[in-house]
Amino acid sequence: MKGYPESVSRLIDAFARLPGIGRRSAERLAFHVLRESSQEAMSLAQAITDAKTRIVHCPTCWNICDDLHCEICSDPRREASIVLVVEQPKDVLAIEKTGSFRGIYHVLLGRLDPLAGVGPEGIVLEPLLARIDDPSKNAQQVKIEELVLGMNPDLEGDTTALWIAREATKRGVRVTRLARGLASGSQLDLANPGVIADAIAGRTGI
Ligand SMILES: [Zn+2]
């Protein structure tokens, strides 16, 4: 036998492409799937298919939602002139759990990482500038008055925050940043809700 059957190799390759999964873990996962009942394996495949086909990005804030109706952007009680910019949908979730932010969001779906070749066009920055420039592209057609930067406090997060702060300031928008109750290098989605709430309340101008 030269190697695994082709379908097994493809499954291992697919797992190996996932972040944080090495070759050996990919093999372990693939053989776990093969040992599972057909029903369990199919429900995994179905969950992946559903997530890919049913989940869309809100055309305004780029958070993920089940259909084009974004609960946050379409809520008239939210203060649409204050936009908190985060890296990932999981950060929105972490902040929403605290219940302490009444503005709306912009999700970058990544961060600037020049060393890894991720420049401004590699994340959702253009649509953010468009929202600033043209209120009709923002939720409730409201002009953005304040951008709160909620990038993770590490090198790439800081690089991204500086880029946005420069562009937003040029456009006359007030820029603030979540207070550094968040330890340097810590991840927003792993911080406890009290710390996040303090970071929102104590946000500082840049
Ligand atoms: Zn939205």
Side-chain angles (χ1 to χ4, degrees):
M1 192 166 106
K2 277 198 298 219
Y4 295 128
E6 197 259 333
S7 57
V8 177
S9 292
R10 263 176 45 215
L11 184 58
I12 295 172
D13 289 345
F15 279 128
R17 281 195 295 274
L18 299 177
I21 305 288
R23 198 78 206 162
R24 286 182 57 178
S25 301
E27 287 186 355
R28 210 164 55 236
L29 288 171
F31 286 106
H32 173 79
V33 168
L34 292 176
R35 268 198 318 274
E36 274 184 324
S37 70
S38 290
Q39 198 190 358
E40 282 169 321
M42 290 310 160
S43 98
L44 171 66
Q46 194 60 50
I48 294 173
T49 307
D50 287 352
K52 265 326 262 189
T53 52
R54 289 193 199 160
I55 297 292
V56 293
H57 290 283
C58 165
T60 303
C61 72
W62 291 73
N63 194 16
I64 44 174
C65 32
D66 265 320
D67 54 51
L68 283 175
H69 179 88
C70 167
E71 268 177 41
I72 297 173
C73 285
S74 55
D75 182 348
R77 291 164 304 179
R78 306 288 299 220
E79 183 50 73
S81 66
I82 304 176
V83 175
L84 203 164
V85 187
V86 294
E87 294 175 15
Q88 298 293 350
K90 64 187 179 181
D91 300 327
V92 173
L93 220 64
I95 293 164
E96 284 298 290
K97 263 193 221 149
T98 71
S100 53
F101 180 65
R102 298 308 302 156
I104 59 174
Y105 295 91
H106 186 85
V107 183
L108 297 169
L109 302 175
R111 65 245 205 92
L112 295 178
D113 188 351
L115 290 179
V118 183
E121 61 298 323
I123 58 176
V124 189
L125 277 173
E126 251 341 293
L128 173 62
L129 301 183
R131 285 176 74 179
I132 295 174
D133 290 338
D134 179 359
S136 78
K137 293 194 161 68
N138 192 33
Q140 303 170 40
Q141 279 78 53
V142 165
K143 181 173 165 10
I144 296 179
E145 307 284 353
E146 179 184 349
L147 274 194
V148 186
L149 304 183
M151 275 91 252
N152 286 307
D154 52 24
L155 181 65
E156 294 79 15
D158 287 346
T159 306
T160 312
L162 278 175
W163 194 98
I164 296 173
R166 199 183 57 223
E167 292 299 322
T169 309
K170 266 192 230 164
R171 291 164 165 82
V173 174
R174 179 171 128 84
V175 181
T176 58
R177 179 151 204 186
L178 292 186
R180 293 294 182 112
L182 299 164
S184 188
S186 69
Q187 287 211 284
L188 196 53
D189 63 310
L190 301 176
N192 89 44
V195 170
I196 297 178
D198 286 348
I200 294 170
R203 64 186 189 265
T204 48
I206 316 193

